[in-house]
């Protein structure tokens, strides 16, 4: 299994450009997440999905959109990039069964710079 | 939203020394987690704690779930160079899988 994969690894955008960060998992997990990590800070949840066709906002959703058309893929869309969106973006997935915490597996991250 | 305060923010220690770090919150958490992040990688789960007072070990790592349910501690014994990285605490307030992360403790180990 490849686990959680993210593309691209690095990207530089100009203000106002748009892009999609790709995330895929091959573990048949129902839950998927997008986090951002600013320098020297912890991770903040942007959006999450509990299954195909279902998404919900996290702590910092403004400026982002997501979709979940399949179990495997959970792309994150930036429509009008702003310097405040310069960050490292992590995708994660987990199998949530309603019982105790199920480990979230993280991808390697996408480092985005908006100039 | 809920916040987790993690301390210290960074530590620079000699190889072989023991390390202690902690995480505190003004809110109660029902699950405490400790993650490690290596440079350029995503976080990896080290230890999960589910009950107040619980003490759990993973090799040289030991973590405790505080009895007030508002704090947690991580200890690393006999540190080695590969312990270098950022250690994050994370908490779950109840059912569900939505984590709140602390700001991280950056650990540097001098050989």
């Amino acid at each position: 299994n490849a686990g959680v994969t993210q593309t691209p690894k690095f990207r530089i955008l100009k203000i106002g450009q748009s892009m999609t960060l790709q995330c895929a998992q091959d573990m048949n997990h129902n839950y998927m997440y997008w986090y951002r990590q600013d320098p020297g800070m912890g991770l903040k949840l942007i959006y999450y999905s509990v299954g195909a066709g279902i998404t919900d906002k996290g702590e910092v959703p403004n400026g982002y959109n997501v979709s979940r058309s399949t179990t495997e893929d959970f792309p994150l869309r930036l429509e009008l990039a702003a310097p405040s969106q310069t960050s490292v973006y992590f995708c994660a997935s987990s199998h949530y069964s309603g019982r105790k915490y199920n480990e979230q597996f993280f991808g390697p991250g996408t480092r985005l710079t908006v100039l | 939203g809920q916040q987790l305060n993690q301390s210290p923010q960074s530590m620079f220690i000699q190889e072989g020394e023991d390390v202690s770090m902690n995480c505190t919150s003004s809110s109660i958490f029902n699950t405490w987690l400790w993650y490690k992040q290596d440079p350029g990688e995503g976080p990896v789960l080290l230890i999960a704690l589910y009950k107040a007072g619980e003490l759990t070990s993973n090799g040289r790592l030991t973590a405790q779930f505080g009895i007030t349910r508002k704090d947690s501690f991580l200890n690393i014994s006999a540190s080695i160079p590969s312990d270098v990285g950022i250690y994050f605490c994370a908490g779950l307030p109840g059912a569900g899988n939505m984590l709140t992360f602390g700001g991280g403790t950056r650990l540097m180990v001098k050989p």
Side-chain angles (χ1 to χ4, degrees):
Chain A
N1 286 351
V4 179
T5 57
Q6 291 184 240
T7 56
K9 281 190 175 298
F10 304 93
R11 184 72 185 268
I12 298 175
L13 285 182
K14 294 182 179 178
I15 294 172
Q17 286 186 319
S18 62
M19 77 164 293
T20 299
L21 283 67
Q22 302 292 344
C23 174
Q25 53 91 11
D26 61 0
M27 297 174 282
N28 201 31
H29 285 168
N30 49 353
Y31 273 49
M32 294 187 75
Y33 317 80
W34 273 106
Y35 293 90
R36 60 176 286 171
Q37 183 179 30
D38 297 329
M41 306 290 286
L43 283 75
K44 292 189 183 296
L45 184 64
I46 305 172
Y47 270 95
Y48 67 98
S49 168
V50 303
I54 307 170
T55 63
D56 209 345
K57 297 178 180 178
E59 185 182 354
V60 289
N62 290 346
Y64 307 95
N65 278 300
V66 293
S67 60
R68 182 102 181 266
S69 56
T70 67
T71 300
E72 294 78 20
D73 301 297
F74 190 40
L76 177 72
R77 180 83 178 161
L78 284 71
E79 289 294 349
L80 290 170
S84 61
Q85 292 178 304
T86 294
S87 190
V88 181
Y89 291 84
F90 288 100
C91 179
S93 72
S94 67
H95 177 68
Y96 179 60
S97 64
R99 295 183 178 179
K100 70 179 184 183
Y101 173 76
N102 291 284
E103 180 178 357
Q104 292 186 21
F105 293 85
F106 286 81
T110 294
R111 185 176 296 274
L112 177 67
T113 302
V114 182
L115 300 174
Chain B
Q2 294 156 326
Q3 291 205 359
L4 295 183
N5 298 308
Q6 202 169 337
S7 66
Q9 285 189 322
S10 62
M11 304 178 72
F12 189 64
I13 62 169
Q14 192 76 34
E15 182 178 359
E17 289 183 351
D18 296 342
V19 173
S20 291
M21 60 190 78
N22 68 77
C23 199
T24 60
S25 172
S26 58
S27 305
I28 288 174
F29 286 91
N30 290 337
T31 301
W32 283 94
L33 307 155
W34 286 93
Y35 280 83
K36 183 189 179 204
Q37 183 178 27
D38 290 327
E41 302 289 332
V44 174
L45 183 66
L46 298 173
I47 294 178
L49 302 160
Y50 301 104
K51 289 194 314 186
E54 179 180 355
L55 189 71
T56 298
S57 293
N58 178 5
R60 293 177 296 104
L61 278 64
T62 301
Q64 184 161 24
F65 192 138
I67 58 173
T68 66
R69 294 163 65 196
K70 293 183 178 181
D71 55 11
S72 180
F73 308 88
L74 176 70
N75 295 315
I76 304 172
S77 62
S79 58
I80 59 178
S82 62
D83 291 334
V84 165
I86 304 176
Y87 292 80
F88 289 101
C89 63
L92 272 176
N97 240 29
M98 302 306 121
L99 298 177
T100 297
F101 280 85
T105 293
R106 182 180 296 273
L107 179 64
M108 293 158 280
V109 179
K110 183 178 179 182

